[in-house]
Amino acid sequence: LDPNHRALVPRVCLVTVRHLAPVPASAPAYAPARTRTPARYRNSEYRRRRHPFGATQEVVMETSGAAEEKPAAGSPMAAAMELKARGQAEEVPGYVVYVAANCYGAPMPDPDGRTPTMSVMWVSADGKDLSLIQTVDLPEGTMMPLIQYLSKDKTRLFTIAGKNGIVMYEVDPTDRGKIVTSSEPVCSPVTAEQMPTPYGVWPIYFAFDPSETMLYTCNFISGSISALPIVTEGGSCTLGAPTETTPPFNGIPEKCMKVGRSAAAVALGWPEGAPEDQSHPHSCAVDPSNKWLIAVDMGANTLLVYSLPIGDNFANNTPDFVLPAHVAPDSNRHYGSGPKNVCFSNDGTNVFAVMEQVSLGEG
């Protein structure tokens, strides 16, 4: 994207790319131009942010709550769609991109009144064409969907929906990966009991096992990790009842109690010492052999390892291994280094973790 637009694209949490080749040639070409925006954006400065990169287009608001992109007459996209209507369209390789936006939301509700959205975009295989295909509203209360996951058969899109737990959309792989708006998204809770916060238990990250039969979530506010079976029956797909585990926590470090709350903790209404006030799992991953689940805990400053399939250790809140992360420098307001994200190498022989708080200096 044009670097000059960088400041005009706030609160985009994650872009997920999945190859859906071949993609119908109806996918439009990238052509910077002014766009027409949905009515809810026309009365604010955010209309410039809604489509800062869009091709010439007219946004048509459907009763389903989705925004469908209709090409301008004479545009390359219009010509391609006309060919498709005649049955003459060629199929070309490309990528579908799912973009979550307007989802930071702290405090909630968003004081600017913006609606969390999921946009479907198309990128040509050579990377030269970028087009917005569709935009749908995410469930109310969605906060920071840091991950989107497209099922292996490319028919279901999963993402995080704040107090709504995990939301699953049906998508059409034969129509550029568009979200099917004729069916309602399915929201599934990730804990047996909800918490009375604007964010619920705040599932902040999830991971599937390689066979897509289990889903694991890190619940940041409740300080727990959940395991949910994937239930498929009669062509439908739902998440089963969750099993939870609570990682061990050794108490708030004295250093954190002396410096007071950070600006982020104040905005989120968190107590003194946050995010080191309790266990706060932030990310998890399953190794390629499906033998191990690893999670990182920002609050406890640890990496947690559970054997799979889950058993007594998971149910009894006792990880198979607890690996301490390194301590932050004395100049840092935090005690721990803040392990935030984790992943396995493709062969499962290495684990990589990103530490957030150690990089914040005195802030």
Side-chain angles (χ1 to χ4, degrees):
L1 303 183
D2 183 348
N4 294 330
H5 286 159
R6 198 176 313 165
L8 301 180
V9 191
R11 304 183 180 183
V12 174
C13 295
L14 183 81
V15 175
T16 296
V17 180
R18 291 290 184 270
H19 198 188
L20 290 182
V23 174
S26 57
Y30 172 66
R34 294 192 57 160
T35 64
R36 297 178 61 181
T37 58
R40 68 173 182 267
Y41 290 95
R42 288 178 186 157
N43 61 356
S44 77
E45 63 176 305
Y46 299 108
R47 61 184 175 181
R48 298 192 308 275
R49 303 176 181 178
R50 181 63 181 78
H51 296 303
F53 41 69
T56 302
Q57 58 202 316
E58 178 182 356
V59 177
V60 179
M61 298 305 295
E62 300 178 337
T63 56
S64 63
E68 182 72 16
E69 304 305 328
K70 180 180 179 181
S75 68
M77 180 180 176
M81 291 184 70
E82 183 177 353
L83 285 175
K84 181 182 179 182
R86 297 175 184 173
Q88 301 173 358
E90 296 181 0
E91 293 193 337
V92 294
Y95 299 86
V96 169
V97 184
Y98 297 98
V99 184
N102 299 335
C103 302
Y104 184 79
M108 290 182 70
D110 190 324
D112 299 323
R114 288 173 289 183
T115 300
T117 60
M118 180 71 71
S119 293
V120 184
M121 302 184 68
W122 182 87
V123 182
S124 62
D126 60 10
K128 294 180 179 179
D129 296 334
L130 171 67
S131 302
L132 179 63
I133 297 172
Q134 179 192 35
T135 297
V136 301
D137 292 344
L138 288 166
E140 181 182 358
T142 294
M143 180 174 176
M144 292 182 70
L146 297 181
I147 179 173
Q148 287 90 56
Y149 181 88
L150 188 66
S151 62
K152 292 178 180 179
D153 64 3
K154 303 178 177 67
T155 62
R156 296 180 178 90
L157 175 69
F158 297 81
T159 191
I160 296 165
K163 64 182 181 181
N164 304 286
I166 302 297
V167 61
M168 180 187 67
Y169 290 96
E170 182 182 352
V171 300
D172 186 352
T174 67
D175 191 10
R176 297 172 291 167
K178 286 168 57 176
I179 293 172
V180 178
T181 56
S182 59
S183 61
E184 291 293 324
V186 178
C187 293
S188 302
V190 297
T191 56
E193 297 182 4
Q194 187 60 278
M195 295 182 66
T197 76
Y199 326 102
V201 300
W202 193 3
I204 197 167
Y205 202 90
F206 65 78
F208 278 85
D209 70 345
S211 62
E212 294 185 347
T213 58
M214 291 292 295
L215 180 146
Y216 305 93
T217 70
C218 290
N219 312 315
F220 195 76
I221 289 184
S222 64
S224 64
I225 300 169
S226 297
L228 300 93
I230 310 300
V231 182
T232 56
E233 184 176 354
S236 65
C237 177
T238 57
L239 300 183
T243 300
E244 296 176 64
T245 189
T246 302
F249 181 71
N250 294 325
I252 304 175
E254 182 180 356
K255 174 182 178 181
C256 300
M257 298 297 294
K258 293 180 178 180
V259 297
R261 295 194 298 168
S262 66
V266 172
L268 290 164
W270 287 347
E272 192 170 3
E276 294 167 282
D277 60 309
Q278 67 169 65
S279 175
H280 286 298
H282 196 284
S283 177
C284 58
V286 180
D287 85 298
S289 68
N290 201 23
K291 293 181 179 179
W292 303 102
L293 168 70
I294 188 168
V296 289
D297 190 335
M298 285 188 68
N301 198 45
T302 54
L303 285 78
L304 312 163
V305 183
Y306 301 88
S307 58
L308 297 178
I310 60 171
D312 292 342
N313 282 3
F314 195 90
N316 296 331
N317 306 322
T318 53
D320 291 70
F321 305 100
V322 178
L323 311 174
H326 56 278
V327 175
D330 291 340
S331 60
N332 194 300
R333 66 176 293 118
H334 299 286
Y335 170 78
S337 54
K340 187 171 185 179
N341 293 297
V342 65
C343 70
F344 281 93
S345 59
N346 288 340
D347 60 5
T349 58
N350 291 284
V351 173
F352 302 92
V354 175
M355 311 296 170
E356 180 187 66
Q357 293 167 179
V358 75
S359 65
L360 297 181
E362 295 184 1

